[in-house]
């Protein structure tokens, strides 16, 4: 005789951690529920691989739970009973199983947090538990930064290093005598050493892709369903972590900011999807990387640089998100309103850097940090694109894009749309920086050295014009350095030409 179900436990698509304490014991009265909902596929236009990866990983997770002896109800996208929202489906399952309690793990996204917090069906008790994933609590940032005008990541990062004793020596001082080796992490890449071989397992998910499209889900980008390359469960994620530590980590620091048309992932780990869906825990990644450098397998600068991304940036970004929501998505410091040109969805622009990063993003559903920040984000800020529209684009295109991590990165770090609460200065550059860090400018239709003219690189005039038109907002920022003295020294005629050229680019964005 099967026991009566008294409890439903909802598992969201980014809560795929088999390590969660929920799964320590099997209990016949508990039914785990996973659902593929149109509310989740449709809140923004997603890259095909993002939808495919989440559904394939959810299906894999459900199978593993069942194999471990747990009871599971899985509502697929094409299930006729599917009501396509969490509340609608929970109503359905409560009635079907006569359960009287629902548990869910704290959602990372404000939208879902609100949706589930508002769901209180009659006669059913509902409780939220922690996801047991992050180092910090949602409100850790609010406490740590109370009363501070700028929320400096470095301050946050150091305090976590001390609290969790990461990369410290016996005297509780930073290993190697420095907290931060960022200055060592700025090399450009000339093809040596070779980009590590992509060792991620390949799976054929064409059947699932057919089901998704037949259900009417819209998407963009290449599905690559037959040779699907994203890690989809914990054991694949652990293999990817091993491969990264072996082949990528030793060079991670040195080439962290480098970009090339010949190496789309460079020495990056490609672990963000596995981390954000919680297949991997941040502390286990940090521990493994620390152990690798202590064993002499990777330079300290590389390990520190990598750990800073996870222990520093990832946790910090999450704290910013929860401290600033709701309303963060509407901030627009520069009042930029221009819609995104259509080539954001096709990659068809003559700017070789932008085309290369966009085409890679459409093909791989991934671009690394500097590509996102200093190619696409940089262009968007200089051209005055609407940050909310840009946020929706970033949220759709990248495999790892979940709002809690995407929004502060896009709106705060990349677009300075929060007025500099997160970033100490706008991350913008003219062509020279892109040329220094990449091979994009070679063979480009535009000339990296020119500011004015049909063939001048658009970043150049847009860069100077950005500072010129925002002088009242930026001139007093001490981190901006030489820009304003240089602008003031510039020939007034040249300044006028720059303004006209920048306006020309902005009006003719589609033709770039
Ligand atoms: P690696 O370079 O190998 O870095 C290791 C890990 O560090 C990443 O997996 C990630 O978990 C973490 N990390 C690194 N930088 C950041 C950061 N700035 N914020 C938070 N975590 C970080 N990251 C996302 O996970 N989701 C997003 O939606 C996202 N959107 C971004 C949007 C913009 C405009 C920018 C500038 C950055 C964004 N990032 C985002 C951060 C970063 O680009 C990605 O985490 C990284 O490219 C993922 O690839 P990887 O796993 O190979 O990273």
């Amino acid at each position: 005789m099967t026991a009566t179900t008294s409890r439903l436990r909802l598992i969201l698509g980014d809560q795929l951690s088999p390590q969660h304490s929920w799964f320590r014991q099997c209990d016949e009265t508990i039914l785990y529920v996973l659902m593929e909902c149109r509310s989740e596929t449709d809140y923004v236009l997603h890259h095909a691989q993002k939808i495919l990866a989440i559904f394939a990983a959810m299906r894999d997770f459900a199978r593993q739970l069942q194999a471990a002896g747990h009871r599971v109800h899985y509502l697929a996208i094409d299930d006729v009973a599917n009501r396509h929202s969490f509340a609608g489906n929970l109503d359905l399952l409560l009635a079907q199983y006569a359960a009287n309690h629902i548990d869910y793990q704290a959602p990372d996204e404000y939208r879902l947090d609100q949706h589930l917090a508002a769901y209180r069906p009659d006669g059913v008790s509902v409780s939220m538990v922690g996801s047991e994933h992050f180092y910090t609590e949602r409100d850790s940032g609010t406490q740590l930064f109370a009363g501070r005008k700028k929320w400096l990541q470095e301050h946050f990062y150091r305090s976590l290093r001390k609290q969790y004793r990461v990369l410290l020596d016996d005297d509780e001082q930073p290993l190697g005598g420095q907290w931060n080796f960022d200055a060592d992490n700025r090399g450009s890449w000339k093809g040596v050493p070779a980009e590590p071989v992509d060792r991620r397992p390949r799976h054929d998910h064409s059947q699932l892709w057919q089901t998704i499209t037949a259900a009417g889900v819209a998407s963009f980008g290449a599905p690559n369903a037959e040779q699907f390359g994203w890690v989809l469960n914990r054991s694949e994620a652990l293999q990817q972590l091993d491969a990264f530590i072996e082949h990528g980590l030793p060079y991670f620091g040195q080439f962290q900011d480098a970009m090339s048309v010949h190496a789309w992932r460079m020495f990056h780990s490609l672990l963000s999807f596995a981390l954000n869906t919680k297949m991997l825990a941040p502390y286990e990644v940090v521990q493994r990387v620390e152990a690798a450098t202590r064993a002499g397998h990777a330079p300290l600068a590389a390990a520190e640089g990598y750990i800073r991304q996870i222990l520093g940036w990832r946790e910090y970004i999450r704290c910013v998100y929860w401290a600033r929501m709701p309303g963060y998505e509407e901030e627009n410091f520069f009042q930029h309103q221009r819609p995104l040109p259509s080539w954001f969805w096709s990659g068809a622009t003559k700017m070789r850097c932008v085309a290369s990063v966009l085409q890679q993003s459409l093909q791989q559903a991934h671009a690394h940090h500097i590509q996102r920040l200093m190619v696409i984000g940089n262009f968007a800020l200089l051209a005055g694109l609407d940050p909310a529209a840009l946020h929706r684009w970033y949220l759709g295109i990248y495999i790892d894009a979940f709002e809690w991590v995407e929004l502060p990165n896009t709106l705060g770090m990349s677009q300075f749309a929060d007025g500099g609460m997160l970033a100490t200065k706008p991350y913008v550059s003219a062509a020279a920086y892109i040329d220094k860090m990449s091979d994009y400018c070679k063979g480009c239709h535009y000339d990296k050295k020119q500011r004015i003219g049909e063939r001048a690189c658009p970043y150049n005039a847009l860069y100077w014009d950005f500072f010129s038109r925002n002088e009242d907002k930026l001139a007093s920022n001490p981190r901006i350095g030489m820009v304003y003295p240089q602008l003031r020294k510039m020939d007034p005629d040249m300044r006028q030409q720059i303004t006209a050229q920048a306006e020309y680019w902005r009006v003719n964005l589609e033709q770039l």
Side-chain angles (χ1 to χ4, degrees), residues 259-264 347-364 366-367 371 375-376 398 438-440:
M259 302 176 279
S260 169
V261 282
H262 302 295
W264 69 271
T349 158
K350 298 190 283 295
M351 291 178 285
R352 193 160 178 258
C353 55
V354 183
S356 176
V357 177
L358 289 177
Q359 284 159 17
Q360 166 191 323
S361 303
L362 292 163
Q363 192 56 40
Q364 309 288 355
H366 188 274
Q371 294 174 314
V375 176
I376 303 177
Y398 292 116
S438 78
D439 51 15
Y440 292 144

Side-chain angles (χ1 to χ4, degrees), residues 268-272 276 306 309 366 369 372 400-401 406 409:
H268 294 271
S269 65
L270 302 185
L271 283 172
S272 49
N276 294 352
Y306 191 80
Q309 305 312 313
H366 188 274
H369 188 71
R372 296 186 205 194
D400 51 30
E406 176 278 329
N409 268 300

Side-chain angles (χ1 to χ4, degrees), residues 11-19 23 34 53-54 56-59 61-62 105 232-234 273-274 276-280:
I11 300 172
L12 302 177
D14 64 349
Q15 296 178 338
L16 307 181
S17 166
Q19 313 285 90
F23 309 118
L34 294 96
I54 293 174
M58 285 169 64
R59 288 177 180 214
F61 192 64
Q105 295 176 27
L232 297 177
N233 56 43
R234 179 167 167 80
F273 179 72
N276 294 352
T277 52
K278 306 184 181 59
M279 295 166 190
L280 279 184

Side-chain angles (χ1 to χ4, degrees), residues 4-70:
T4 323
T5 302
S6 61
R7 206 171 258 272
L8 303 182
R9 279 185 172 168
L10 174 66
I11 300 172
L12 302 177
D14 64 349
Q15 296 178 338
L16 307 181
S17 166
Q19 313 285 90
H20 194 279
S21 56
W22 268 2
F23 309 118
R24 268 185 217 141
Q25 282 168 354
C26 293
D27 184 335
E28 280 284 290
T29 66
I30 296 174
L31 182 75
Y32 290 99
V33 296
L34 294 96
M35 26 185 113
E36 299 172 353
C37 295
R38 290 299 293 266
S39 61
E40 303 314 293
T41 55
D42 297 4
Y43 66 86
V44 78
L45 185 69
H46 293 283
H47 196 295
Q49 286 177 46
K50 188 177 168 197
I51 303 166
L52 198 46
I54 293 174
F55 284 4
M58 285 169 64
R59 288 177 180 214
D60 191 300
F61 192 64
R63 278 192 296 273
Q64 291 199 29
L65 289 183
Q66 277 167 327
H70 299 287

